[in-house]
Amino acid sequence: MDSSLESSTSSNGNPVRCRCRTCKVIVIGDAGVGKTCLTHRFCTGQFPSRTEATIGVDFREKLLDLEGEKIKVQLWDTAGQERFRKSMVQHYYRNVHGIVFVFDVTNPTSFCNLPMWMDECRQHSLGLDIPCALVCNKTDLVTSPTASVLIDQARHLAEVHGMSFYTTSAKARKGDLVDSIFVTLAQRLKSQRRESVNELVLQCRSESFNIPAKIITAQESKKKWTCIC
Ligand SMILES: Nc1nc2c(ncn2[C@@H]2O[C@H](COP(=O)(O)OP(=O)(O)OP(=O)(O)O)[C@@H](O)[C@H]2O)c(=O)[nH]1
Ligand SMILES: [Mg+2]
């Protein structure tokens, strides 16, 4: 995550500047699955009264306070339509901290296309080892029982790739999980950072004990416990 100085308001109403971390999260998926509505809903609390196909990318952001730490979630709401995304693709995938894949529960093709979106991430050197979420949107429109088969398949896909999975609706007011998608992602990024700080501490310790040319990271120490017989 990147660090920056942010303006906010203190309890006595005076503006204060505080250090905050910014995480870039891209939201991708087929055209019309609800990426704009989900990001709009998270940032404003409202379902937009009308939307148009996104051209290139729209930016939205929200400042979160996670256990006293300010995290700015910068959402890149990308275009699903090929003709509106071509020129922007290189920019989407640069310095990404988290990915939200979206499909529409009423549109099975948007689910079938998810591997294509995952491939595009890989082609831009973005592994699914960074925090990712899979969102099954428009559950307010679910009427047919076949939707539950699609939801089960999606849950399985998310499990296989180690992603968080959400069934939600950008439109429904009650019982939806729109905020959780992005807050949980930010929490995962925050704890990931704590882990990398721990790795650094471990590295400093190894150096202060004068262990030459050997940086012991948490990853390496984990490897040491792997049986090789
Ligand atoms: N009923 C219902 N409609 C939704 C929901 N989310 C989005 N929509 C509708 O689906 C249509 C497309 O939504 P958008 O958010 O613009 O879709 P998008 O994924 O951003 O589309 P592109 O920008 O073209 O990639 C709009 O008419 C929305 O009102 C939802 O959860 N429930
Ligand atoms: Mg859009």
Side-chain angles (χ1 to χ4, degrees), residues 41 45 47 137-141 168-178:
R41 169 80 188 273
F47 181 75
N137 190 35
K138 304 197 190 181
T139 51
D140 58 297
L141 298 177
T168 191
S169 161
K171 193 170 191 179
R173 295 291 331 168
K174 248 175 78 183
D176 66 85
L177 297 165
V178 176

Side-chain angles (χ1 to χ4, degrees), residues 67-95:
E67 296 149 9
E69 187 176 349
K70 298 263 187 290
I71 309 270
K72 185 160 74 183
V73 182
Q74 184 186 78
L75 297 174
W76 286 51
D77 167 23
T78 69
Q81 282 191 49
E82 187 58 29
R83 63 189 168 127
F84 292 149
R85 59 197 317 276
K86 265 188 207 142
S87 57
M88 288 296 293
V89 172
Q90 301 299 329
H91 301 283
Y92 296 161
Y93 292 107
R94 216 170 282 151
N95 303 322

Side-chain angles (χ1 to χ4, degrees), residues 4-8 16-20 63 70:
S4 66
L5 277 172
E6 275 302 309
S7 292
S8 65
V16 286
R17 307 248 310 152
C18 61
R19 187 153 287 286
C20 102
L63 194 60
K70 298 263 187 290

